[in-house]
Amino acid sequence: SNISNVAIPVDITALSKGFHTIYLRSRDDAGAWSITNRWIFVKDIAAVNTNKFEYFIDTDVLLFFCDFSLFT
């Protein structure tokens, strides 16, 4: 089955304010587990003005700074 658009409600009310990581994996009918996916999210912290961000894939070798005004 294609589950790419399934919504999974997660109750985060008991979590403290700050950054958290949620992990998700699935198991097929044969009992084989998928790779584990993870997402980092933040709960209720004060807003800050961010004018740059960086990203990297696999290793932090190349820094990329971006002006948020490029994203509208």
Side-chain angles (χ1 to χ4, degrees):
S1 297
N2 183 349
I3 60 169
S4 60
N5 291 319
V6 172
I8 302 170
V10 177
D11 184 4
I12 63 169
T13 55
L15 293 177
S16 61
K17 292 180 179 181
F19 290 91
H20 299 276
T21 306
I22 187 168
Y23 299 88
L24 178 70
R25 64 182 175 186
S26 60
R27 190 168 64 181
D28 65 18
D29 291 337
W33 284 100
S34 69
I35 61 168
T36 301
N37 294 278
R38 74 175 185 173
W39 295 269
I40 298 171
F41 67 96
V42 64
K43 178 184 176 187
D44 296 326
I45 63 170
V48 296
N49 291 327
T50 302
N51 59 18
K52 295 188 184 335
F53 71 93
E54 69 176 1
Y55 73 91
F56 57 91
I57 300 173
D58 297 330
T59 23
D60 187 2
V61 176
L62 176 66
L63 298 179
F64 175 75
F65 294 97
C66 184
D67 184 339
F68 273 105
S69 65
L70 298 175
F71 300 94
T72 56

